[in-house]
Amino acid sequence: FPVTIGGNGRAKGAFQILSMHKDIQNRGNFTQAVIWTRDRLLRHKYKTNPRYAIMRHNGNPELRQVQNYAQRVLNREQKIKQLNIFK
Protein backbone atom coordinates (compact mmCIF):
# COMPACT_ATOMS: atom_id res chain seq x y z
CA PHE A 1 0.00 0.00 0.00
CA PRO A 2 1.28 3.48 -0.74
CA VAL A 3 1.94 5.82 2.16
CA THR A 4 -1.15 7.96 2.57
CA ILE A 5 -1.05 11.22 4.50
CA GLY A 6 -4.22 12.99 5.62
CA GLY A 7 -5.66 14.96 8.50
CA ASN A 8 -3.63 18.05 7.59
CA GLY A 9 -0.46 15.95 7.73
CA ARG A 10 -1.27 14.38 11.10
CA ALA A 11 -2.73 11.06 9.87
CA LYS A 12 -0.77 8.39 8.05
CA GLY A 13 -1.36 5.06 6.33
CA ALA A 14 -4.33 3.18 4.93
CA PHE A 15 -6.15 3.58 8.26
CA GLN A 16 -5.31 7.29 8.65
CA ILE A 17 -3.93 6.86 12.18
CA LEU A 18 -3.18 10.21 13.81
CA SER A 19 0.35 11.02 14.98
CA MET A 20 -0.94 11.55 18.54
CA HIS A 21 -1.18 7.75 18.90
CA LYS A 22 2.22 6.79 20.28
CA ASP A 23 1.26 3.14 20.89
CA ILE A 24 1.85 2.17 17.24
CA GLN A 25 5.38 2.23 15.88
CA ASN A 26 4.70 2.41 12.15
CA ARG A 27 1.34 3.94 11.24
CA GLY A 28 2.12 3.44 7.55
CA ASN A 29 2.60 -0.32 7.87
CA PHE A 30 -0.65 -1.99 6.82
CA THR A 31 -0.26 -5.10 9.00
CA GLN A 32 0.60 -3.07 12.10
CA ALA A 33 -2.32 -0.73 11.42
CA VAL A 34 -4.76 -3.66 11.11
CA ILE A 35 -3.57 -5.21 14.38
CA TRP A 36 -3.58 -1.85 16.19
CA THR A 37 -7.11 -1.07 14.98
CA ARG A 38 -8.40 -4.52 15.93
CA ASP A 39 -6.89 -4.26 19.39
CA ARG A 40 -8.39 -0.81 19.98
CA LEU A 41 -11.85 -1.92 18.87
CA LEU A 42 -11.69 -4.95 21.14
CA ARG A 43 -10.44 -2.81 24.04
CA HIS A 44 -13.47 -0.56 23.52
CA LYS A 45 -15.78 -3.61 23.83
CA TYR A 46 -16.54 -4.19 20.13
CA LYS A 47 -17.92 -7.68 20.83
CA THR A 48 -20.64 -6.39 23.16
CA ASN A 49 -21.21 -2.85 21.81
CA PRO A 50 -19.79 -2.42 18.30
CA ARG A 51 -21.39 0.98 17.73
CA TYR A 52 -19.78 2.48 20.83
CA ALA A 53 -16.41 0.84 20.05
CA ILE A 54 -16.41 2.31 16.54
CA MET A 55 -17.37 5.75 17.86
CA ARG A 56 -14.73 5.62 20.61
CA HIS A 57 -12.08 4.48 18.14
CA ASN A 58 -12.89 7.33 15.77
CA GLY A 59 -13.13 10.17 18.23
CA ASN A 60 -15.64 11.59 20.65
CA PRO A 61 -18.82 9.47 20.82
CA GLU A 62 -20.76 12.64 21.67
CA LEU A 63 -20.12 14.18 18.24
CA ARG A 64 -22.85 13.72 15.64
CA GLN A 65 -20.34 13.13 12.81
CA VAL A 66 -18.70 10.32 14.81
CA GLN A 67 -22.12 8.79 15.53
CA ASN A 68 -23.09 9.01 11.85
CA TYR A 69 -19.81 7.40 10.76
CA ALA A 70 -20.30 4.50 13.18
CA GLN A 71 -23.79 3.93 11.82
CA ARG A 72 -22.51 3.90 8.23
CA VAL A 73 -19.87 1.31 9.17
CA LEU A 74 -22.48 -0.89 10.84
CA ASN A 75 -24.83 -0.54 7.85
CA ARG A 76 -22.03 -1.70 5.52
CA GLU A 77 -21.30 -4.62 7.82
CA GLN A 78 -24.95 -5.65 7.68
CA LYS A 79 -24.99 -5.46 3.88
CA ILE A 80 -21.87 -7.65 3.72
CA LYS A 81 -23.48 -10.22 6.01
CA GLN A 82 -26.57 -10.26 3.76
CA LEU A 83 -24.36 -11.23 0.81
CA ASN A 84 -23.75 -14.48 2.67
CA ILE A 85 -20.23 -14.90 1.23
CA PHE A 86 -18.52 -15.75 4.53
CA LYS A 87 -19.94 -19.19 5.20
Side-chain angles (χ1 to χ4, degrees):
F1 286 88
V3 174
T4 306
I5 309 262
N8 294 321
R10 296 175 301 144
K12 185 175 181 182
F15 285 71
Q16 292 294 286
I17 300 170
L18 293 172
S19 58
M20 65 186 242
H21 295 293
K22 304 300 182 198
D23 56 338
I24 181 170
Q25 292 181 351
N26 185 350
R27 295 175 289 135
N29 179 286
F30 186 78
T31 301
Q32 285 186 25
V34 167
I35 293 167
W36 180 83
T37 300
R38 179 207 59 201
D39 290 349
R40 278 179 54 91
L41 288 169
L42 291 173
R43 191 167 51 248
H44 295 308
K45 311 292 186 220
Y46 183 84
K47 289 183 178 183
T48 57
N49 192 345
R51 187 171 191 273
Y52 177 78
I54 294 166
M55 289 188 299
R56 183 74 176 81
H57 175 71
N58 286 287
N60 181 348
E62 302 294 321
L63 295 176
R64 174 57 76 191
Q65 65 192 36
V66 173
Q67 295 168 5
N68 290 343
Y69 177 75
Q71 193 58 54
R72 286 194 310 272
V73 169
L74 291 171
N75 289 345
R76 279 187 229 131
E77 178 187 40
Q78 192 60 33
K79 287 179 183 177
I80 290 170
K81 284 180 180 177
Q82 289 173 353
L83 293 174
N84 208 19
I85 58 175
F86 297 106
K87 292 183 178 182

